[in-house]
């Protein structure tokens, strides 16, 4: 059953029974929703970690109060984000067993090791040294303190590594053979090096880590721009804004270049996903749609060239896929029995790429102003950065949707279908009920995190003397230094 | 790497059993360490505003790290015995989902509480914290009971295991807080902890009696084996020593015995589960374990890291050793 088919069947079931989704669809939506929320916080840890290390180091080394301010603000965000990341991540590892037990059983030898290494090598490191970083300022030496910030960051980046080892294996599985055990055909590990260092792994790691840094940098830049906009003389927040612009100048163009090469790699290794990214149905020469605008509502849910107003570069799809041949044949979606939900992949991909170019533009604009030494003078630039601050996350999520939804109907490409991975004992009632519960719970978490961010921002405004707020809303955490 | 590791035999013949031990050890560490966090969460309901700050300060720096032992347990089980992981969780679907939701609520509540001084906000966060800290270990105990005895979720052995774990958590939490504080707070902890220990002992006796009478999945014979009797004996000894240490105000020693009590409980579970890792289906260690190459690799990469993790914990607990008071929170 294709995902679109499942969606339709699920909707029919929904209509027939009024409320219930099929176990498969509900499980997929549940996992998709939990990872959507979790990844926001996981990326926050990864992207913010280098900033925390830098601010901590500068704070310990220099007596510049600007770094104390920046550190105090961002470590609060990091700490709350870490807790959110932990609690939203634990259900995901459980879901491999509760909702997708066939996936756990079939792929256990391949994914279990890396997941266990993630917990032991990375997660413990991050959690233990974050405890020291938040509560241990008076209890450890300066050197140990800075080292704790580094180890916390290493933990976050190493976590990403092992998780992407697993995910990359699911995209381009290698290093195993299928054998029968306990009446089930399972993947037996035969070559760990091949299994861990799959063709996809380095691509994913660079792209994901860089995406996390970009997403967080845009948040840092947006918040810094807001504070600078409210108080042009704030030394701390001018520093943060300059830093963010410099980081964006490096990371945004890198992501565009890397993304281009990554696309070619996807065309080589997952042609079906590549075809879905371009809504390329007929095998043959592929164009590249630079801009696609739906002519009708139909085109939103079923993007096909006829239904779209496009600005396309003829043959460039073939050129990219083949690495230089404008007339190369690109396999179309009609060649496959089942396809991923093409619309989700097609529009997600367009949104991600479009935003990537926007970030390059923002970086160049900011770089130019920075060169002239007039970064904070432009109200227009400050407003642009404020408006853009959530967009890095939008790009990150749509990128994940391309990767994960684009792999359907497979959970492990070419090895195990998602429909075969779902629990046989799961009922529609259980699956739908828990889906609703997760939606409500995670929405509450998002709302709580948004509220915390708002309170932190209000508290900072108050410290800057820009506005006074009711005393009850002042954030009060043990590790907030009374720096000014 | 492949050439360095044997592909078709385990590094040592008993490696599957050793990994069963690692799984059990991770679970015991989780019960002992996050157990104290749960216990503090329950005891929190009995404290006034000032003492609540002290309780939060006592476990603030360590609980994020304590919680990771659950993930370590789950992923180790998956890495070594994937079919057990799959069957255990999919077989207890609603229970497992309820546990993770309890963990979510418990996990965010104290962090959110500290973000705002508004009393209403704090009261709401506190309620969630107490609720999550009570429900999660109760359900986790039910899951472990169902697993070990092969009984349904709603059955006397499962529910009694849940209640037992709840009492054990209160004991650990009380002992930990007593070791970190003094005066009336420590005295109150001795009272609560003593009661919890007695409840735990009674709970274990009733549980064992029920199991011996009903004999689910033929565990009666296992209960009478030497290792099981050893675990029961250890439970009684640690509980007795704990009661004595609490009365003598030797609070650190008391916490040590609570730690031992957690290991004795998980040890009993291990006895019941070996070698039938999943009594409900009869799947054994040898049938469920991953192939030699996968387990050898996990051993070579994972076991040294586990040793390093224990060192981190020593460092973390050492850094925050000594008394706390509310003004630190």
């Amino acid at each position: 059953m294709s995902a679109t088919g499942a969606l339709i069947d699920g909707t029919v079931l929904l209509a027939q029974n009024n409320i219930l989704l099929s176990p498969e669809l509900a499980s997929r939506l549940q996992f998709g929703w939990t990872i959507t929320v979790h990844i926001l916080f996981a990326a926050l840890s990864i992207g913010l970690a280098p900033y925390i290390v830098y601010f901590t180091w500068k704070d310990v080394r220099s007596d510049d109060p600007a770094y104390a301010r920046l550190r105090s603000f961002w470590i609060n965000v990091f700490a709350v984000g870490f807790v959110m990341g932990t609690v939203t991540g634990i259900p995901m590892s459980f879901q491999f067993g509760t909702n997708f037990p066939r996936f756990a059983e079939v792929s256990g030898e391949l994914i279990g090791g890396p997941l266990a290494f993630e917990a032991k090598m990375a997660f413990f490191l991050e959690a233990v040294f974050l405890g020291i970083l938040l509560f241990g300022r008076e209890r450890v030496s300066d050197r140990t303190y800075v080292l704790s910030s580094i180890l916390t960051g290493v933990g976050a980046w190493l976590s990403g590594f092992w998780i992407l080892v697993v995910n990359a294996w699911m995209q381009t599985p290698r290093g195993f053979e299928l054998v029968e055990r306990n009446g089930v055909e399972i993947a037996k590990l035969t070559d760990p090096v091949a299994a861990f260092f799959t063709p996809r792994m380095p691509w994913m790691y660079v792209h994901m880590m860089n995406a996390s840094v970009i997403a967080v940098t845009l948040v840092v830049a947006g918040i810094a721009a807001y504070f600078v906009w409210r108080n042009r003389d704030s030394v701390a927040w001018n520093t943060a804004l300059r830093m963010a612009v410099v980081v964006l100048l490096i990371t945004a163009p890198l992501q565009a270049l890397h993304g281009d090469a990554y696309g070619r790699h996807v065309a080589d290794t997952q042609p079906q996903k590549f075809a879905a990214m371009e809504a390329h149905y007929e095998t043959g020469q592929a164009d590249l749609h630079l801009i696609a605008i739906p002519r009708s509502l139909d085109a939103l849910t079923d993007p096909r060239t006829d239904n779209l107003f496009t600005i396309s570069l003829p043959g460039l799809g073939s050129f990219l896929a083949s690495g230089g041949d404008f007339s190369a044949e690109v396999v179309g979606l009609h060649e496959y029995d089942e396809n991923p939900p093409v619309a989700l992949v097609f529009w997600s991909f367009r949104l991600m790429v479009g935003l990537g170019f926007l970030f390059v533009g923002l970086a160049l604009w900011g770089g130019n102003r920075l060169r002239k030494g007039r970064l904070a003078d432009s109200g227009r630039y400050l407003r642009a950065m404020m408006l853009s601050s959530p967009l890095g996350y939008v790009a990150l999520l749509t990128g994940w949707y391309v990767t994960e939804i684009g792999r359907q109907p497979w959970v492990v490409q070419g090895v195990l279908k998602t429909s075969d991975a779902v629990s046989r004992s799961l009922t529609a009632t259980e699956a739908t009920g828990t889906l609703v519960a997760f939606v409500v719970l995670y929405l509450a978490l998002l709302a709580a995190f948004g509220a915390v961010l708002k309170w932190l921002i209000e508290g900072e405004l108050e410290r800057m003397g820009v506005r006074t707020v009711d005393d009850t809303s002042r954030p009060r955490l043990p590790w907030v230094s009374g720096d000014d | 790497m492949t050439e360095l590791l044997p592909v078709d035999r385990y590094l040592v013949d008993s490696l599957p059993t050793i990994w069963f031990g690692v799984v059990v050890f991770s679970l015991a560490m989780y019960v002992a360490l996050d157990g104290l966090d749960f216990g503090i969460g329950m005891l929190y309901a009995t404290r006034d505003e000032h003492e609540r700050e002290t309780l939060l300060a006592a476990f603030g720096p360590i609980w994020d790290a304590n919680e990771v032992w659950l993930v370590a347990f789950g992923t180790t089980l998956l890495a070594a015995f994937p079919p057990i992981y799959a069957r255990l969780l999919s077989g207890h679907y609603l229970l497992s989902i309820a546990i993770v939701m309890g963990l979510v609520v418990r996990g965010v509540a104290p962090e959110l509480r500290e973000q705002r001084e508004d009393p209403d906000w704090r009261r709401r966060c506190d309620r969630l914290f107490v609720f999550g800290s009570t429900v999660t270990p109760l359900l986790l105990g039910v899951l472990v009971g169902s697993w070990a005895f092969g009984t349904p979720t709603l059955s006397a052995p499962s529910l009694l295991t849940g209640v037992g774990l709840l009492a054990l958590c209160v004991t650990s939490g009380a002992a930990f807080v007593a070791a970190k504080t003094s005066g009336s707070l420590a005295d109150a902890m001795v009272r609560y902890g003593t009661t919890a220990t007695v409840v735990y002992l009674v709970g274990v006796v009733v549980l064992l009696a029920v199991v011996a009478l009903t004999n689910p999945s033929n565990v009666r014979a296992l209960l009478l084996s030497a290792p099981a009797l050893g675990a029961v004996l250890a439970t009684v000894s640690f509980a007795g020593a704990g009661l004595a240490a609490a009365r003598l105000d030797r609070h650190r020693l008391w916490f040590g015995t609570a730690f031992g009590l957690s290991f004795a409980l998980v040890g009993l579970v291990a006895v019941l589960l070996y070698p039938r890792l999943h009594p409900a289906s009869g799947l054994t260690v040898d049938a469920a374990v991953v192939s030699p190459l996968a387990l050898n690799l996990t051993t070579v990469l994972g076991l040294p890291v586990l040793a390093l993790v224990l060192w981190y914990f020593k460092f973390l607990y050492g850094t925050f050793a000594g008394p706390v008071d509310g003004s630190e929170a």
Side-chain angles (χ1 to χ4, degrees), chain A residues 80 83 87 93-94 97 99 101 109 112 116 120 125 128 132 135 139 181-182 190 426 434 437 455 472-473 476-477, chain B residues 75-76 79 85-86 90 93 100-101 104 107 114-118 287 290-291 293 305 309 312 315-316 319-321:
Chain A
V80 181
V83 167
V87 299
S93 61
F94 269 66
N99 294 60
E109 285 201 14
K120 294 200 191 90
L125 193 67
V128 166
I132 296 191
F135 296 90
R139 291 172 183 260
R181 189 174 300 159
N182 305 318
T190 54
L426 186 59
T434 53
W455 297 333
T472 53
S473 66
R476 209 183 60 91
L477 284 164
Chain B
T75 53
T76 306
Y85 185 83
S90 64
Y93 183 77
V100 294
M101 290 191 165
V104 170
E114 295 302 300
Q115 304 293 334
R116 211 166 161 82
E117 274 182 13
D118 175 19
V290 293
S291 65
L293 179 61
V305 177
V309 167
Y312 299 158
F315 178 66
L316 179 72
T319 301
F320 295 100

Side-chain angles (χ1 to χ4, degrees), chain B residues 52 56 96 114 125 154 222 303 309:
Chain B
R52 287 180 171 191
L56 291 173
S96 307
E114 295 302 300
C125 291
L154 288 176
L222 280 172
L303 279 190
V309 167

Side-chain angles (χ1 to χ4, degrees), chain A residues 443-463:
Chain A
L443 280 177
L445 292 178
L446 286 175
F449 186 75
V452 168
L453 206 54
K454 179 171 162 275
W455 297 333
L456 288 172
I457 289 171
E458 284 172 356
E460 180 64 19
L461 285 177
E462 190 190 3
R463 272 193 291 276

Side-chain angles (χ1 to χ4, degrees), chain A residues 27 30 76 79-80 82-84 86-88 90-91 93-99 101-102 104-105 107-109 111-113 115-121 123-125 127-132 134-136 139-140 144 148 162 181-182 184 188-193 196-197 423 425-426 430-431 434-435 437-438 441-442 445 448-449 451-452 455-456 458 471-479, chain B residues 1-2 5 7 19 22 26 53 56-57 60-72 75-76 78-79 82-83 85-87 89-94 96-97 99-101 103-108 111-112 114-119 121-122 140 143 283 287-294 297-299 301-303 305-306 309 311-313 315-316 318-324 328-329:
Chain A
S27 295
Q30 183 176 312
N76 262 316
V80 181
F82 177 80
V83 167
M84 294 278 176
T86 306
V87 299
T88 54
I90 291 173
S93 61
F94 269 66
Q95 282 165 0
F96 290 156
T98 51
N99 294 60
R102 305 294 269 195
E105 186 157 3
S107 324
E109 285 201 14
I111 67 166
L115 288 173
F117 300 148
E118 194 258 345
K120 294 200 191 90
M121 292 181 197
F123 199 7
F124 271 129
L125 193 67
V128 166
F129 288 96
L130 183 62
I132 296 191
L134 297 181
F135 296 90
R139 291 172 183 260
V140 298
T144 307
S148 297
W162 284 115
R181 189 174 300 159
N182 305 318
V184 182
K188 179 183 167 195
L189 181 70
T190 54
D191 185 347
V193 178
F196 288 1
F197 301 95
S423 169
S425 58
L426 186 59
E430 288 171 333
T434 53
L435 169 65
F438 270 114
L441 185 66
Y442 277 38
L445 292 178
F449 186 75
V452 168
W455 297 333
L456 288 172
E458 284 172 356
D471 183 53
T472 53
S473 66
R474 243 185 44 222
R476 209 183 60 91
L477 284 164
W479 54 89
Chain B
M1 193 187 287
T2 312
L5 284 174
V7 172
W19 273 93
V22 177
S26 307
E53 299 284 336
L56 291 173
I62 52 168
W63 70 286
D64 272 342
N66 290 345
E67 198 172 26
V68 181
W69 282 104
L70 180 65
V71 182
T75 53
T76 306
L78 175 63
Y85 185 83
R87 285 172 200 211
L89 294 180
S90 64
H92 296 97
Y93 183 77
L94 291 177
S96 307
I97 298 284
I99 289 169
V100 294
M101 290 191 165
L103 282 169
V104 170
V105 169
R106 196 281 307 241
V108 294
E111 190 75 31
L112 290 176
E114 295 302 300
Q115 304 293 334
R116 211 166 161 82
E117 274 182 13
D118 175 19
W121 171 257
R122 293 200 153 190
L140 198 70
L143 179 65
L283 207 58
V289 73
V290 293
S291 65
L293 179 61
L297 185 75
T298 309
T299 306
L301 286 180
L303 279 190
V305 177
L306 200 59
V309 167
W311 181 81
Y312 299 158
F313 268 77
F315 178 66
L316 179 72
T319 301
F320 295 100
V324 285
E328 271 190 58

